[in-house]
Amino acid sequence: MLRVGIIGCGRISDLHMLGYRGRDDARVVALCDVDPENTAAKSKQWQLPDAAIFEDYRQMCESGLVDLVEIIVPHHLHYEIAAFAIGRDLHVSLQKPMSLDLADADRLISAASDTSRVVRLYENFLFYPPVLKALELIEQGVIGKPLSLRLKSNAGYSPNAWDIPFPALLWRHTPEECGGGPLVFDDGHHKFSLAWIVLGQPSEVHAWIGSTFVLSFELDSPSLVSMRYESGAVASLEVVYSQDLLIQGTEHYAQDDRMEVTGTKGVIWVNRGHGQIGDVPTVVSYTDGRIETYECPTGWEQSFIGATRSLLDTIASGREPILTLAEGRDVLAAALAAQQSAKDGSVVLVPDPVGRSPQSVRAELVQSAPAGADAAGGGA
Ligand SMILES: NC(=O)c1ccc[n+]([C@@H]2O[C@H](COP(=O)([O-])OP(=O)(O)OC[C@H]3O[C@@H](n4cnc5c(N)ncnc54)[C@H](O)[C@@H]3O)[C@@H](O)[C@H]2O)c1
């Protein structure tokens, strides 16, 4: 039985908890947060009255009470806490981005290479069932070789969106703590991961990052990132916040993402992300004049459940995690290149990849985490 400690009991930790429910190979036994009100609230909400409570992550890591830590804190603390936990010989699951710069990323990779424990970058978007379905179709060769990718991220409002604690807004809008803006860098990491799993590491990145004020907070919208690959493939990420755009189908953030992959003989559309805009089939493919539609589970929490299960299965099997820190570095390199490009107004060259090839990770992901989707019917 793996004993799990959660470091950072803030907004998103609720979705991390879901993956541990009903598992008999892992149990959350310890909670850590600098704010004791958060640990008290979560131990009650998650019905963990016996969980050990810590305010200092060092004490939790050295307590002998935990085998695995989930690090779910603001970005500027990722490197420091992960390095400490790796040094205490613990399994580590680290939320994205792994660090704020590539030098710290390299230090973490080096530290992780000295441990036999699993150290993985938590990237739940790869485990979102509609995305898994699209990756499965790519693996099956339904669209041929991927040539281009369009990612679109819409943020708006939703009466059902969850409350975001003020401190969670504050660190996201403090560039030294977040590392970049909340949409293109923080949430954008997920989109760079999606681009990575489809096309790999871009060789060049260009970005325009806009500015929209919502009360006194500046949002990095509207923005457009372009990526070009050694293979000649291209990708774009468009991010836009619309204050009066109703996002349906979400209990979490008022946001929705869509993705379109064009290959040598077909196209795949993923029409759902966090939320829902309109009433279109979840996943659609087009090949040889024929449309197929697929309905998948769409709750965004499914991506967290899948990511946590994958971690536990990885620890049990001794496989490489999805993602490794090296792959996290590759995603971070593209995300940082976009920030740099927007500042300099120029195309930025991305460092060579250090992780596995996305094709091999994609194949493993599809095999180990089925999408749970069926073709819902199609027509010529
Ligand atoms: N995968 C996703 O889709 C997703 C979504 C949201 C957030 N995140 C990531 O999760 C992390 C947390 O985001 P959030 O929205 O929950 O933020 P949050 O501010 O709600 O939660 C962070 C928590 O960390 C605590 N904390 C701060 N310093 C600490 C320390 N030294 N030791 C222990 N606890 C400390 C804070 O008190 C707070 O409770 C970030 O890395 C963010 O990028 C990921």
Side-chain angles (χ1 to χ4, degrees), residues 11-12 33 38 73 75 78 95-96 124 171-172 300:
R11 177 67 281 178
I12 208 66
D33 200 293
N38 289 347
V73 295
H75 298 167
H78 285 190
Q95 260 288 358
K96 47 44 69 170
N124 53 301
W171 69 256
R172 279 191 170 80
W300 187 52

Side-chain angles (χ1 to χ4, degrees), residues 7-13 32-35 38 55 57 72-75 77-78 81 95-96 122 124-125 165 167-168 171-172 186 190 253 300 304:
I7 303 177
C9 296
R11 177 67 281 178
I12 208 66
S13 61
C32 172
D33 200 293
V34 283
D35 184 344
N38 289 347
E55 286 180 36
Y57 69 84
I72 325 175
V73 295
H75 298 167
L77 300 168
H78 285 190
I81 299 182
Q95 260 288 358
K96 47 44 69 170
Y122 193 101
N124 53 301
F125 273 51
W171 69 256
R172 279 191 170 80
D186 171 21
H190 302 302
Y253 299 103
W300 187 52
F304 288 80

Side-chain angles (χ1 to χ4, degrees), residues 188-266:
H189 189 286
H190 302 302
K191 318 301 153 55
F192 287 101
S193 297
L194 292 174
W196 180 84
I197 199 81
V198 174
L199 290 171
Q201 175 88 324
S203 49
E204 295 171 65
V205 173
H206 178 267
W208 283 291
I209 297 185
S211 170
T212 300
F213 277 87
V214 181
L215 302 175
S216 55
F217 287 121
E218 184 179 11
L219 278 181
D220 42 350
S221 158
S223 298
L224 181 65
V225 180
S226 312
M227 294 177 262
R228 204 158 76 92
Y229 296 78
E230 288 272 275
S231 63
V234 293
S236 65
L237 163 62
E238 185 187 319
V239 173
V240 56
Y241 165 74
S242 313
Q243 62 179 13
D244 296 325
L245 179 72
L246 172 64
I247 306 281
Q248 297 174 297
T250 178
E251 297 168 357
H252 308 108
Y253 299 103
Q255 188 170 327
D256 192 39
D257 305 311
R258 274 148 300 128
M259 168 166 136
E260 177 184 305
V261 190
T262 302
T264 47
K265 63 170 186 169

